[in-house]
Each structure stands twice: as C-alpha cells, then as structure tokens.
Amino acid sequence: MTIQAVRLIGPGVDRVDGPMKVTGTAPYPADFGFPEMAHAALVRATVAAGRIRGLETAAAEGAPGVLAVITHRNAPHLNRGPDTPVWRQPPPPLQDDRILHYGQYIAVVVAETEQQATAAARLVEVDYEQAEPLLELDDPRAEIVTNPWGMDSHRGDVAAGLASADITVDATYTTPDETNNPMGLFATVASWDGDSLTVHDSTQWPHGVRAALAGTFGVPESGIRVLAPFVGGGFGAALRTWPHVLLTVLAARTTRRPVKLVLTRPEMFTGVGHRTRTVQHITLGADRGGRLTVLDHEAKNSIAIEDDNYEPVAADSAWAYACPNVDVRDTQARLNIPVPTSMRAPGQAQGNFALESALDELAYAVGVDPLEIRLRNYAEDQPQLNLPWSSKALRDCFEQGAGRFGWSARDPRPGSMRDGDWLVGYGMAGVSFFWFQPACQARASVRADGTAFVRSSATDIGTGTYTVMTQLSAELLGLRLDQIQFGLGDTDLPFGGLEGGSGLTAGLGTAVRAACRGVIQAFLDTVADDPGSPLRGCRLDDVSAADGYLVRSDDPARRQAYSGILATHGLNELTADGDSAPPAPEEVGMAPAGAFAARFAEVRVDPDLGLVRVARLVSAVDAGRVLNQKTATSQVIGGTVGGIGMALLEETVTDPVSGRITNGNFADYLVPVNADVPDHEVLFVGEPDRFNPIGVKGVGEIGLVGMAAAIANAVFHATGRRVRSLPITLDQLL
Ligand code: MOS
C-alpha cells in the first residue's frame, strides 16, 4: 500500500483547526484554569553577575492576597532535570544566591489574583554584590567551549589548497543576538493532586516537559500529565523546559493550590532562550573558473555560564557544496547572558548568511554570475558522508527560481540598475538544510461508525500538524477528512517527538503511516478465517482503502466496509500502534536530505537615506513530497518574514556594562510588519524523498534560511556596499 498522492495529499487543504482558531475557541495554555487557582509572578535579577547579598520579602509577604514568596532562601532542592538527546535541561532556579545573567529568576510570588501577584513581586527588594559580567565573545576571561557532538570536520588539505588557489576570499561576518518572540506569551498552569501532577504548558514537546518535571521533582513520569493542544508559536523557544515551568509547578506544590503563570513580553526576552550572536571567519579558495578548492569556516557564538546549548554554526558548510579541502569548526564563549536556545534554523541561519555572502563575494572576484558559481560547485553527492542524497533537486530550485524571478535580466555591475531615484539590486542564495527526524509513536483506531481516531503526544505549534496528519490518516485509511479525529498535545497519548528541527512531519507521519497500516492489518486478521468475507486471506499489499472500505486490488468490486467487519465480528473498534525511528545513513546507503532552496530577492535602496526596501521575493523549495501546498507555503512565507527581520531589523541589544537587555519589548525590538513584506512567490520542486516512506522532508525552518544572504547580496548589487554585519541598517549604507 503506497501513497498515491492523488486524493487528499498535496492540494491546499484548509487547516482543520482553522475555525477553532479564528473563533477563539482553540484553548491555548493560558486559557486553562482549575478551581481555587492561584497566580504567580516572577522577580528577575536586574544585574548580570554577582550574588544576592540582601533580600527583603516581608512587604511582599504581607501584601494583599499573597500566599507565598519563594526565593533561594526557602526553596527546596530541585534536581537538575534529565539529559535529553538534544540538550541538558537548564539549571533549576532558586538553588543558591549566585546571579549568572540579567533576568534570572530570584523569586516567585503566588497570590490569589494575577494583579496581586504582580503588585507584590514589585515589593521584593534585592541588594546585590555585583561582579563584572562577561558579555563579549572576545572577552579573554570567558571559558571557550568546543562542540562535543563531533560536528567540526575536515577533509583534504586546506593549507595546500590555499597555496594553489587562483582566487581567494577572506572575510569576517557577524550576526547579533535575536529573540524568538512567538506571539503567544508562554504560560504554565499546574495542579497537583497528591503525587500526581497535571500541567498545561506552552511547549513544542510535552513528553520532554514530563521527563524534566519528573526528574526535577523526583516523582514518576506516570503520575504527570502534560497537555498542549494549542501553542501560540514556538520557533524553538518552547523546545526546552524552562525555569518558569519548574517554578509554577513548585509554587503549586508549596501553596497546595493550582497555579497559573503567564510570562510578560519582557520576560520572554530573558527566560525562554534566544539565538546567539556569531562572529564568523570564512576563507574560500577557487580556481579561475570559480570552482572551490578551499572552504574554511570558523564560527564563534555564545553559551550561558551553566548550560549546554551547543549551537553549531559553521558545521553545515562542510556539505553544502562540493569542495576537496574543507575545514569547519565552532566554538562558544561562556558569558553572563540569558540562556540561549534554538531559534528557527539554529546555527544554520547564521552560518548560511556567512557562507552565501562569501560565495557572492567569490562570484564577483571570479567574474561569474552568482547563480553560476553555485551550479559550478554543486554537490551531486553528500560530500561529507560520500553517499548519494536520498533526493536533491537544488539544481531545479536554482533554475526554476531564477526563471520565475527573471534573474537573467540582472545587469551584474553593482549600482547599474535603477528605478527612479532608487537603486535596484538582485541577490540570491542557496540553502542546503540539515536533516533531523525525531522518533515517534502513534496509535490509530477505526470505530464502529466508520470514523477513525489517530493520535500522538506531539504538538502543532501553528505549523499544521493537525491538518497534515489528518490528511495523511484519511488518505491511508481511505476515509474522508471529516471522518478523522486527530489527537495530539497530551502525554497520555503515545510518545511524540519534539516539534523541532523541521522533522516532525517526517517522524510523526511515518509513525502515523505505520499505525494506519497496522489497523488495516488488524481488520485483515479479523477476517482471515471468515468464509463470508471477500477479503479472506488477503495480505496488506493485496488491498487498498477507499470510501470506508478495504478493497481487493485484484478485483475492486470485492470489498468490505470497516463498519461491516466490526459489526459482523461484534467489535467496537480495532486499534494498532505504529512507530518510527530513522535508519542510519550507512545502513540504507544514502544521505538523508534535509530540504533545499534557492532564494531570490529584489531590493530598492535609497542612496541618500540608506533605506532598504525588499521589493519582491521568489523562493524555490525542494521539500520532497508536499503534503499540503497551502500550509507548506504558509510555513515558507512565515519563515521568510523571520528572514527579512534577520536581514534588516532584528537585534536583541545588551547593555555592554550591565548586561541588561535594553530593547526587550515590542516597541524597541523590531520585527517585520506587513509593509515590510513584499509579494513572495513560493514554488515547490522535486520528488518524494526516499529516506522515509511518506517521502517528505521539512519546511518548518528553511523559509528563514538564505533570506539574509539573498538580501545582503542584493544590497551589494544595488549599492556596491558589502554589508557583513547583520542587521543591515541604514548607517552601514551611508
Ligand atoms: Mo526549531 S528552532 O527546531 O523549533
């Protein structure tokens, strides 16, 4: 039984949860409550390093409605939560008097109402013994961490390659701290009943939260239920179990009341991660034809004083293009900064900006078209693993994207194209996105009324999981969309992997496919010895599913309805489990392909004012099989808006003396608004991928990647000014 890609897969199916969202009936974590619920508010450190010398809590404790003020002085010991495959939990809060970063929680105040908690939190007085914080990547006092995942890589001989290169490019690129900033303020609602715990949380991984809570509080996972049926965006910020989640659960245990905590927007800048700043040095060597002989990429970014958020920035440059002599390496400096985390395309968003800018510089140094230089260095096989790709249509992305954009009309000379007073620039970038696929489990039941319930604990953070999993289940079971109930966001359901790394559709989809095949097998088993069944003796590959029936492929007139089989055998439903675990590349003899893309941008630059306007965008994306054109296009557009922000607007500013985040709000942290986002044509190219049986790659992050380089390259083409430091602000163009 294969996916025919004919019926429910592919076209732009509307979001199945759309009506709930637009009518305000979709429950987000902050919408949940319990009887007798209390509310929490946080007190944050206003310095970045030092110790708490004095702490005055009496005024807060005596304020109206206050139930508890928990600080390091009265908090119980909390374990540091378990390691996950991806990272360790951040250190638990309120364990000692040390201040490691601005915004660190130093107290949680619990009161009858949110207003009372917030007012009382302001009454907590702190006296600090300040230390000089480590805030700069090049601070010689900072500990330097090398990535423990073995992602630095080398091949060939860089020194020898450089000695014989005809042309070299040598440049340093920098990117700033940026903050994920999902619209939905993160919320946690916690309720204990004896030793069992129910938590609503803004998370991309309910099972991850459950494991962290069990480890931190020393209670069994089986007693904890974490729910997240709807999450107001994540972009990586909701991958980890943050200190505020632990504090809400602690507050509920301390006060023996259910407790709700909703973060404020300023708290979202210091408490739920951010993208780390980078300094990147790239050396390219090439022959006269622009064929790379050397690619050397060294990157440094930041990590918190006590955390393990390893962010490889240069690593993926090793396999983006064919090149015989390669060296990529990453280091991180430990600083007194809020704990960073993954932010949409972590590491690669920054690394791609440097690599794709450097390739543009090389194109000009060689004197060939920027598109042509990428084609001349095309990696036909995965150059690091030396294996064929599971699929790769990047060449089609380049060619079809260029065609739609009208790249051939580009006059290569910088500053040569104008529209009235505006300078016009065309820029482009390639993207080879990394691959990740979490292991997942799913369960499928087909019920007596012919409908199905398919479920897993994974989340839909706005990406469309509900919708594409409904489509997939309906396609596989031969049912209509409205006959599928897809359940997610609940740890009482089978284990769902994290919604991250652009991998959930592949990982969960593969598990859903296995569960759906399993339930069809259960029906075939049920009729295996039934002389009255036209399906008697059929194997899975002998049947297809359509219109609520299992149909013999050799004789489509012979079929039997799910409901008929259940009724005949006196059953209410049949259920099966499925799981997915990606194979090792060597095992299957191919390199799993993340998605690929070519991004094309037209910008207008006002030469007198330095204003940059993005005028037009074309993105060609190879995402393997596209399950839903509409939600996939939305994903790419949404990522692109983030990419425009990265290119032109976004920067989290840290006061270099105090370590305070100076623009931690939506008035001062600039993100693109509608007027900043032009027409954007998204086209999907390529074939179903071979690495998973549903043929998908991932579109969650790739929309962000490449945009910064494409825009910077377009700005160079418009002005002749090479901006190597993001965001591109007008002062750099005057
Ligand atoms: Mo994404 S940064 O893996 O949520």
Side-chain angles (χ1 to χ4, degrees), residues 36-40 60-70 74 108-114 116-117 120 251-252 254-260:
E36 304 294 310
M37 187 168 69
H39 297 262
E61 282 158 0
V66 170
L67 300 164
V69 178
I70 309 170
N74 60 358
V108 55
V109 177
V110 193
E112 295 290 347
T113 70
E114 185 183 345
Q116 288 171 331
T254 304
T255 59
R256 299 175 185 279
R257 297 270 296 271
V259 171
K260 177 189 283 194

Side-chain angles (χ1 to χ4, degrees), residues 204 235-236 239 342-346 499-502 701:
Q204 295 171 233
F235 313 125
L239 287 169
S342 297
M343 174 166 155
R344 212 165 187 175
E499 170 103 291
S502 300
E701 295 165 288

